[in-house]
Amino acid sequence: MELRHLYHFVAVAETRHFGQAATRLHLAQPALSQSVRQLEAELGVTLLARTTRQVSLTPAGEFFYRETLRNLDNLEQSARGVRRIAEGRYGLVRIGFTGTAAFDQLPPIARAIKQRLPGIALEIHGDLLTPAQVDGLRSEHLDVAVLRPPVAGDDLVLRRITTESLVLALPVDHRLTTEGSLDVADLAYEDFVMYADTHSVVNEAVVTSCRAAGFTPRREHEAPDTSVLLALVAAGLGVALVPESVRALQLNGVVFRDIAGASTIDLALAWQRERPSALVDALVGALEDAGVLPPVESSVPSSHSKDMP
């Protein structure tokens, strides 16, 4: 039994006429008649009752017609699904987010994928340090990652999403909350709350900013992640310079202020260069179309690995 036999039978069953069915199929009538006879011989039953004036379905033919329609529909759905997978429009994408990136980047990324690629499901891995995301990409536990460049090696593609300024996080009752404009130099005598990880890109940007202003930050408290860092600030244990995306967090007891002289840090989308993936290609295209991912000329170098919480 071949697939063509089923399509030939359905055409005759629906038209109840070999000539009309042959016209629909763009097939010679003798060839169509032979195809249906081959199908009946394969099944060992008569599907069509033929007379010189009409063609009708036998009870076995009625049953086989219904089952054939159902199976052909399932087959067509399978074919469409295969094409969607091949085109990157269906499947699962595992995406990692580093620290504060999830606060303002996860919503637009997820929204763009849902609207443009509804067949793609996202598996979110949040609050991952950049080295952990790089390891996840290389071990194929992640498909794409939103991380802080640079990273070591040239096996990853990095596309800049945005460049963030550092903002000042202050306890709500701090004297600087009411100052007009602020400069990093104004923090020379403040206690700082910083990330515990010694390879943090944010920490490096903070130290660079402070040294450019003529002092070294007094690192009084350390935090494993942003939520703890802000809680320490709210407790009045120090001030912090954090990526501006942290503003998306509403925490009682913390005030965010713009500050002149602070460094900027990049945020990038990364994936494996030598692992072609229709899913990743489709995701990148959707983010470009939505304006979440800037044009390709905004790519960033992938060297000198750093980390950020």
Side-chain angles (χ1 to χ4, degrees), residues 50-290:
R50 306 161 176 84
T51 69
T52 56
R53 308 184 67 176
Q54 66 177 11
V55 176
S56 60
L57 290 169
T58 64
E62 291 279 3
F63 174 81
F64 192 71
Y65 171 66
R66 291 192 300 270
E67 291 299 301
T68 299
L69 286 182
R70 181 174 60 82
N71 290 324
L72 289 177
D73 181 63
N74 289 339
L75 180 62
E76 180 57 31
Q77 290 186 41
S78 298
R80 287 196 296 267
V82 168
R83 287 191 289 269
R84 286 196 298 268
I85 292 172
E87 294 166 0
R89 295 185 290 116
Y90 183 84
L92 174 69
V93 173
R94 300 157 299 173
I95 180 169
F97 286 87
T98 186
T100 60
F103 300 148
D104 64 346
Q105 293 302 323
L106 175 55
I109 287 175
R111 188 176 300 112
I113 300 306
K114 180 180 180 181
Q115 292 175 348
R116 290 163 176 80
L117 298 168
I120 287 183
L122 293 179
E123 181 179 289
I124 306 299
H125 299 259
D127 207 14
L128 295 176
L129 300 179
T130 292
Q133 294 204 70
V134 171
D135 290 343
L137 291 172
R138 289 172 175 160
S139 65
E140 301 184 5
H141 289 106
L142 291 176
D143 300 299
V144 293
V146 178
L147 48 73
R148 300 284 182 189
V151 299
D154 59 1
D155 59 327
L156 300 180
V157 178
L158 272 73
R159 290 278 302 276
R160 183 182 289 112
I161 296 173
T162 188
T163 298
E164 291 187 79
S165 299
L166 294 180
V167 297
L168 177 62
L170 296 164
V172 69
D173 57 354
H174 195 282
R175 61 182 178 81
L176 293 178
T177 59
T178 57
E179 291 293 321
S181 59
L182 297 175
D183 189 277
V184 172
D186 296 325
L187 308 178
Y189 300 103
E190 299 292 332
D191 292 337
F192 275 74
V193 181
M194 300 178 72
Y195 292 107
D197 193 284
T198 57
H199 300 292
S200 167
V201 166
V202 174
N203 281 359
E204 182 173 311
V206 171
V207 171
T208 299
S209 300
C210 293
R211 286 178 176 169
F215 70 97
T216 298
R218 192 163 59 216
R219 184 174 181 152
E220 287 297 312
H221 296 278
E222 297 181 342
D225 54 41
T226 302
S227 60
V228 174
L229 182 147
L230 293 178
L232 292 174
V233 171
L237 298 180
V239 303
L241 289 172
V242 292
E244 60 184 328
S245 53
V246 178
R247 288 184 189 270
L249 282 178
Q250 299 297 320
L251 183 66
N252 291 333
V254 177
V255 173
F256 295 108
R257 294 289 309 276
D258 293 331
I259 186 164
S263 298
T264 60
I265 49 179
D266 288 330
L267 189 68
L269 186 73
W271 64 93
Q272 280 203 57
R273 186 183 304 276
E274 302 300 329
R275 186 180 170 227
S277 167
L279 276 174
V280 172
D281 289 345
L283 182 144
V284 170
L287 297 183
E288 290 175 336
D289 182 60

Side-chain angles (χ1 to χ4, degrees), residues 1-9 25 31 34-35 38:
M1 186 186 303
E2 298 179 18
L3 191 58
R4 63 184 177 88
H5 292 141
L6 301 180
Y7 283 111
H8 294 170
F9 165 71
L25 296 168
Q34 182 181 7
S35 176
Q38 288 173 343

